[in-house]
Amino acid sequence: MIGVIRIAVILGLFVSLVISLVPFQYLFVKARLGWQQSLPRFFHRIAAWLLGFRVNVQGELVQDRPLLLVANHVSWSDIVVLSSVANVCFIAKSEVRKWPVFGTFAVLQRTVFVEREKKGRTAQQASDIALRLAGGDAMVLFPEGTTSDGNRVLPFKTSLFGAAHAVIREAGAEEVIVQPVSIAYTGVHGMPMGRFHRPIASWPGDVQLIPHLKGILKEGAIDVEIRFGEPMSVRAETSRKELARIMEERVTTMLQSSLMGREITPSEDQ
């Protein structure tokens, strides 16, 4: 009964949050006002608190632009926790646009939607992302292409890394900064989560969204660690595949360090 009451209270507060802020974000996006970047961070900070996420940040978001962030992908909640600590926009699969509620939120956060299975559109989609990067938006790419179990990093797909080169080629930028980011769900109710309890937070593709959301609401105290790693300067001559390999290695190192609760030495993050 307590769990049901808790879920009802949180949902009520969340609805109030949506009603209070979403209309303003809609107007900001339509009018292209600067607040369209900062309001989502405020929204997600409150949403993270309501959901019970306690976010610990290691490192700092690079302030240089253009900036492409490369992160591992564990759950829908990655959007909430990462948006709660930085003004970012996301690159998501086109199906997300059709999701109830979440699709609307994605549109209002100015998400770039891509169709990964259509290889013939890769160049155009990279150009769309490049346009946003050139405009100063910090864009988040989840190069695994799907969510994982939260215990490891899946192989990175290289195609959309071409957005970094597209900025140089099409917008005349001398370089693009690419920064690795790891998202690790590390604890529940103050205790280490471990592999056994990681499914509380992780959302692999075969798990239904609503039951998973209810599980998050029921727990109410999940620790998340976000690490901003060593950035890499990308120039026209930088190999896309080499860039993807380096980012995959850095994200993997940071994720495993978070899960094991240890610091990264400078030599490990190179």
Side-chain angles (χ1 to χ4, degrees):
M1 178 61 70
I2 294 177
V4 174
I5 294 175
R6 170 183 167 75
I7 292 175
V9 170
I10 292 174
L11 289 178
L13 292 172
F14 184 76
V15 170
S16 298
L17 177 67
V18 171
I19 293 174
S20 299
L21 297 183
V22 165
F24 287 101
Q25 179 64 6
Y26 177 81
L27 293 175
F28 294 159
V29 170
K30 286 296 184 180
R32 298 184 179 181
L33 299 177
W35 289 328
Q36 66 181 336
Q37 297 177 334
S38 56
L39 187 59
R41 181 175 179 180
F42 178 70
F43 174 89
H44 284 104
R45 188 177 297 172
I46 298 175
W49 178 75
L50 289 174
L51 291 168
F53 290 113
R54 299 184 294 196
V55 185
N56 175 36
V57 179
Q58 301 289 328
E60 295 182 351
L61 176 74
V62 171
Q63 297 304 310
D64 297 332
R65 298 293 186 273
L67 173 63
L68 177 65
L69 300 170
V70 177
N72 64 303
H73 199 11
V74 183
S75 172
W76 56 268
S77 54
D78 298 344
I79 309 298
V80 177
V81 297
L82 192 51
S83 295
S84 72
V85 300
N87 294 342
V88 294
C89 298
F90 293 87
I91 302 162
K93 58 185 180 182
S94 57
E95 293 92 329
V96 173
R97 186 195 293 266
K98 300 176 183 178
W99 289 0
V101 183
F102 286 90
T104 300
F105 291 164
V107 170
L108 290 176
Q109 199 166 355
R110 302 164 58 240
T111 297
V112 174
F113 298 99
V114 298
E115 298 175 279
R116 291 180 179 272
E117 68 281 1
K118 294 187 177 180
K119 303 299 182 182
R121 296 204 59 207
T122 298
Q124 179 58 53
Q125 292 175 154
S127 293
D128 293 341
I129 299 167
L131 182 64
R132 294 287 297 279
L133 289 169
D137 288 321
M139 302 298 300
V140 180
L141 171 65
F142 296 118
E144 293 164 295
T146 186
T147 49
S148 72
D149 62 6
N151 295 308
R152 60 197 174 103
V153 174
L154 301 177
F156 279 8
K157 302 181 186 301
T158 66
S159 58
L160 293 180
F161 279 92
H165 293 88
V167 180
I168 297 172
R169 183 177 62 252
E170 299 174 15
E174 292 186 6
E175 64 177 14
V176 176
I177 305 301
V178 180
Q179 184 174 23
V181 181
S182 68
I183 305 170
Y185 295 83
T186 59
V188 57
H189 296 293
M191 300 294 292
M193 188 173 283
R195 287 179 174 270
F196 181 76
H197 291 99
R198 200 89 62 204
I200 293 173
S202 63
W203 185 53
D206 57 347
V207 176
Q208 294 297 312
L209 175 60
I210 298 303
H212 186 263
L213 175 58
K214 288 175 63 178
I216 293 288
L217 293 173
K218 183 179 178 181
E219 291 299 334
I222 296 176
D223 296 311
V224 190
E225 183 166 284
I226 297 175
R227 294 199 182 202
F228 292 101
E230 182 69 23
M232 179 176 174
S233 176
V234 174
R235 295 181 177 273
E237 62 273 15
T238 304
S239 165
R240 185 186 68 190
K241 291 185 178 180
E242 180 68 6
L243 170 62
R245 183 191 66 78
I246 293 173
M247 288 297 113
E248 183 178 337
E249 289 181 353
R250 292 184 181 180
V251 172
T252 298
T253 297
M254 293 191 298
L255 175 65
Q256 294 305 318
S257 295
S258 290
L259 295 180
M260 291 185 289
R262 66 182 179 87
E263 297 296 326
I264 299 177
T265 63
S267 61
E268 288 181 296
D269 197 28
Q270 299 300 315

